[in-house]
Amino acid sequence: MRIFVTGASGWIGSAVVPELVDAGHQVVGLARSDVSAAALTAAGAEVVRGTVDDLDVLRDAAAASDGVIHLAFKHDIAFSGDFQGAAEADRRAVDALGAALVGTDRPFVIASGVAGLAPGRVSTEQDTATVNGSPITIRAATAQAVLDLAQQGVRSSVVRLSATCHGDGDNGFMATLVATARAKGVSGYVGDGANRWPAVHRLDAAHLFRLAVEKAPAGSVLHGVAEEGVALRDVAEVIGRHLDVPVASVAPENAAEHFAWLAAFVGIDAPASNTLTRELLAWEPTHPGLLEDLDKGHYFQASTPTA
């Protein structure tokens, strides 16, 4: 298959591209910079220059493909205060990509998330996110719009990714927790730290995206979840041990001061099941779990971001 991938040089995309290439697919990746273009070429992909704001570029590339995997998201502005702007740009990109695939029966796979699906219990692929107009639920509405394309001749599916997609080179949530502990001199967790985050190694997530584009039925919801839920206190303890700093509870009212932008996420309890995904696609995660990955030490090298 000729597969167009947005976000192809990003954290997940840079694992998805070789996964697809190794499986014999022809990959066309969207690149917004010379550095990204060079990385895609080195990985064996063709390059289309542009950004997620270049809607005509997206439509043309999707129309010329046998399938689309959409991974791009403006994380830079989302995590600097304009999550709504990032989510709205994402919706425009998805609408452009989807319009090019209507009536083709070609696959269209997008990344979404599991956080907030079912507060207080383990979420499943059958749960539907509440859409109330808040910025964070704009992405839930976008995911539903993709699933609705199944009624318009698109083999659409949504991969809801774990709160943390970990691995060597990660600069996301886990790296930020490490940087925060280093800067504050304490490895913190909110309240009693019993709240759980689902987790998946990025290479297992990449494999799931390949299975989805190859064979997920139209309208499928998939959970990119290898571990149902890892307690944040357990994460904090591993970080504290590696940095040789104390591990301590942070009161909810002090979370913003301690964790900065991550405070909105670090107290979330969002365990999620992967049972239906594994049954549907025979997906079997094989890479290290979150705590084992943290213990490998790569998160504690000097390249972790500042808090």
Side-chain angles (χ1 to χ4, degrees):
M1 296 169 63
R2 179 181 174 88
I3 302 172
F4 176 50
V5 182
T6 72
S9 61
W11 173 236
I12 302 299
S14 60
V16 169
V17 169
E19 172 79 22
L20 294 170
V21 170
D22 289 348
H25 297 294
Q26 180 184 6
V27 178
V28 180
L30 183 70
R32 63 179 179 176
S33 69
D34 291 342
V35 172
S36 294
L40 290 174
T41 299
E46 296 180 26
V47 174
V48 169
R49 293 301 295 264
T51 74
V52 289
D53 293 320
D54 296 321
L55 302 185
D56 288 341
V57 171
L58 298 183
R59 290 188 195 96
D60 291 346
S65 73
D66 299 313
V68 174
I69 298 177
H70 175 55
L71 303 172
F73 190 74
K74 293 184 174 182
H75 291 99
D76 51 347
I77 69 169
F79 292 146
S80 62
D82 190 14
F83 191 94
Q84 180 163 343
E88 290 174 347
D90 184 56
R91 178 57 185 267
R92 292 191 292 270
V94 163
D95 286 347
L97 293 164
L101 298 174
V102 168
T104 66
D105 292 322
R106 296 173 187 167
F108 182 24
V109 186
I110 73 161
S112 188
V114 298
L117 279 175
R121 65 173 176 82
V122 178
S123 66
T124 77
E125 295 88 339
Q126 295 176 326
D127 284 308
T128 301
T130 299
V131 178
N132 58 18
S134 66
I136 201 165
T137 62
I138 295 174
R139 293 200 79 185
T142 298
Q144 187 57 53
V146 170
L147 296 175
D148 291 345
L149 289 171
Q151 308 304 316
Q152 300 182 57
V154 181
R155 184 161 63 80
S156 59
S157 60
V158 172
V159 176
R160 293 173 177 164
L161 288 168
S162 297
T164 179
C165 295
H166 56 89
D168 194 356
D170 177 16
N171 283 311
F173 286 160
M174 285 300 111
T176 303
L177 284 174
V178 171
T180 299
R182 180 179 281 124
K184 299 288 186 179
V186 60
S187 181
Y189 54 87
V190 173
D192 64 4
N195 61 298
R196 299 151 293 174
W197 279 8
V200 65
H201 195 284
R202 76 171 188 132
L203 297 180
D204 286 319
H207 184 54
L208 179 57
F209 276 103
R210 175 169 71 83
L211 294 176
V213 79
E214 288 177 345
K215 60 183 182 179
S220 297
V221 174
L222 309 166
H223 275 190
V225 172
E227 295 176 281
E228 185 174 282
V230 181
L232 267 290
R233 179 167 184 164
D234 293 340
V235 171
E237 288 176 347
V238 175
I239 293 173
R241 185 173 71 251
H242 278 268
L243 294 180
D244 194 23
V245 298
V247 179
S249 171
V250 176
E253 61 269 24
N254 297 327
E257 179 183 355
H258 185 88
F259 293 104
W261 66 265
L262 194 59
F265 303 93
V266 76
I268 292 175
D269 185 42
S273 169
N274 67 10
T275 300
L276 298 180
T277 298
R278 293 171 70 153
E279 291 176 352
L280 182 66
L281 297 180
W283 177 59
E284 292 294 335
T286 59
H287 291 87
L290 176 57
L291 299 182
E292 181 184 352
D293 200 17
L294 281 169
D295 257 334
K296 289 181 178 295
H298 52 81
Y299 276 98
F300 305 97
Q301 298 169 0
S303 59
T304 53
T306 55

